[in-house]
Amino acid sequence: MSVRNLQHLFAPKSVAIIGASARPNSVGATVLRNVIEGGFGGAIYPVNPKYDSLAGLRVYARVSSLPAAPDLAIICTPPATVPGIVRQLGEAGTRAAIILTAGLSGMHDSGGRTLRQAALDAAKPYVLRLLGPNSLGLLVPGIGLNASFAHTGALPGRIAFVSQSGAMVTGVLDWARSRGIGFSKFISLGEGADIDFGDLLDYLASDPGTSAILLYMEDVRHARKFMSAARAAARSKPTVVLKAGRVAEGAIAAASHTGALAGSDDVYDAAIRRAGMLRVLGTEELFAAVATLAHARPLFGERVAIFSNGGGPGVMATDAVVCGKGSMAQLAPDTVARLDAMLPATWSRANPVDIIGDAPAQRYVDALNILLKDPQADVILFIHAPTASVPSADIARALAPIASASSRNILACWLGGDGVAEARAIFTEAGIPSFGTPEEAVSAYLQIVQYRRNQNLLMQVPPAAGDDGATDPQAARALVRKALAEGRTLLSEPETKSVLAAYGVAVVQTRSTQSVDEAVAAAEAIGFPVALKIVSPDITHKSDMGGVALDLEDAEAVRAVALRMNKRLAELRPDARLEGFSVQRMARRPEAHELIIGVATDPVFGPVILFGQGGIAVEVTADHAVALPPLNVVLARDLISRTRVARLLAGYRNRPPANMDAIIATLMRISHMVADLPEMVELDINPLLVDSEGALALDARMRVALADHSASTLDRLAIRPYPRELEERIDWNGEALLLRPIQPEDGPAHVAMFNALTDDDVRYRMFVRVRELNASQLARFTQIDYDREMAFIATRPGPDGVNETLGVARVVCDPDNIAAEFAVTVRSDLKGHGLGYVLMEKLIAYCRSRGTREIVGEALPQNTRITKLARKLGFEISKADEDGSVHMRLPL
């Protein structure tokens, strides 16, 4: 349901406390006191039939007795009463309620529904939004609203905090208040039966009073909704997550290494990264990240230069950078020479730069100015320990203007307590993040780096499937469905390799046999040496049962080993079925690395892709990373980089680098399989042999299950990929055009189209005069969430063979898919030939197909072309309002 009626939750003009009480320490008494003492300026209606008045306020016996429908109701009555009260509130016209009551999920009404479900059913006809149940409430300090039973209030500020834990709410409130940290919204989610993380992220993303969003998260229930909302929020303001439950949960009855390795925390971590948010591991880090990211400049590189008035703190910071896998800047020779000319002879002549303890304020200024000109120094960390020679505050006053004006990120560490308090305050006032220890400052630097990396991942919108003509999805689907028709959920190794081969994954030649004699014949046909493996649906790891033999040189060896395997299996696992043997050509790759690539299905986020170091000790090495599909080159490379084996793949000593392109291609082909094969539950390629020549799948297995084909095969993905199925080739005035959704790669063509617009056309589209698109505007136009918005472009090859964008029609839906706002732009030299009409027809058909209720738009009165086009398409046109815009509306 998303943001509908949430304004009544966060900006009510009246509040009713259902279950208000005079009983000391009761929830009803605490809530009433908090609402009154918080300074809420609207009407307050206590409701309880036991009282006539409370705290000087008239008390009403029931909801129906209230003089007016309250904007917000706070329910703190026994569980059995809650559904009825919700219904009464809905009938009265209330559109938001907080259910503080716990226990609704464990109790049932006379119809067998849980009381939680009964409350949701009662609210639904009235679009009455429910926060909770089992919520601690919420606080909006800016309007004096403390609609909670917390023990203390919150200071006003610009940070929104959302928590699934009531204990975290009270703890963080206390912690933040003691440190002077304020909030725009402070929300206890409770069970999140109706209002959940996705709803709140959507609301807070557009809340002008909120500059940063903090989440304390235990779980997510609606992955697609959460990811769309999180990506939208993270695009507009820093969003930081403290995720509890870091210990990986072992997968039960996993049929593969991948199923066992892809723990839920790995998946949450991947989701947070992909959404462009930052994950932290503690409360201190949570608020430190906000302070840092709120003032962070664009990061053009990750190399940090450190300068300090003491060698020890600089070395400590360097240790922290290296241990945190950060990057130390190598100072340019010109920088070293310039520093050498102004520093004492005993300075360090390297990064970190020790400007010596007797440094006056001017030495700090000169050193900072020199470092700011070094092309290698992307981030600068300044460390100061107090000395008797110059007051720390004087140094702060000298450096603050330079640091504030810099386009680079500058972090400060003021070591000490009272002696540097004024200096730290000067820097904080100037918007320069300041910390008490070198380690804290380095942690902030690493947060900026990781956040920017995650923001880069946020901008990636890969396609669902590739354009590789060598793939044969139909053949893969036939193999999968054949196994399911036979009642099998595990594909044999040869079957799995055939599926992989259908997607262009290189596999070692393999044959499936049912007897010892067939195994011998297959080995002779393939050519020696060969590898022999048992095929049994009851054996997950064949090598554990002695079911793998390598380098068999002749037919006699194959026969002897096959008979021995048969006997050994009967002894160790008499219950296991032996369906035959797999015979494969031996792969002679002496310098190859053993990797693992796999797919697992997370119960929340759906399919995930795993990459890491493979081999029989894969669980022991535990070197792997997880990513949400679909993947592109950037996302695949990032996935690889998050493993330790990535450093080995780069080559060392006389061992050449592995073929990284082959690894990336394999990952992307597996990503295409995920999108194409909804029946695939698990996939294991282990080992994938990779050397300088390429990649080769040596062993593989796949688990499948019946899929719901009534829904889109992509619905199970947490992130909707590029919808290639919406591409359409048309004839336009005798010329072939491609109409398709916009992609991030269309950025250069989009800029070229923008540059070809007249000044008036730009003003009609942007409502202001804009000379050029900046990077953030371009990203906003080309890197879209296909689950929330759509932009169709008309494109054709230009004179130079590069595709050019001729026009674009764009629509952005509200999170409830009720109204969608449109805009259409055609290159100025192509106007008047019907291209805008063609683009809008496609856009309207798309909105109809997804159930959008209406399309709306605004235009300047002078833009008569768009109003004429809209009228031709059936839009209702209203006259210009006070702000001078014309409104257009098309009911669907």
Side-chain angles (χ1 to χ4, degrees), residues 158 160 184 201-214 230-240 275-278 293-294 451 455 458:
R158 298 189 59 81
S184 62
L201 283 167
D202 274 326
Y203 183 88
L204 296 169
S206 57
D207 176 27
T210 297
S211 298
I213 303 170
L214 308 185
R231 295 172 77 201
R235 286 180 190 274
S236 59
K237 51 195 70 172
T239 306
V240 186
M277 304 185 292
L278 178 69
L293 299 179
Y451 181 68
Q455 286 281 299
L458 168 64

Side-chain angles (χ1 to χ4, degrees), residues 291-292 294-297 400 403-404 410-411 424-434:
T292 304
H295 298 100
R297 274 80 163 173
S404 296
I410 298 177
L411 306 174
R424 191 177 293 137
I426 292 169
F427 260 44
T428 301
E429 182 68 23
I432 305 160
S434 299

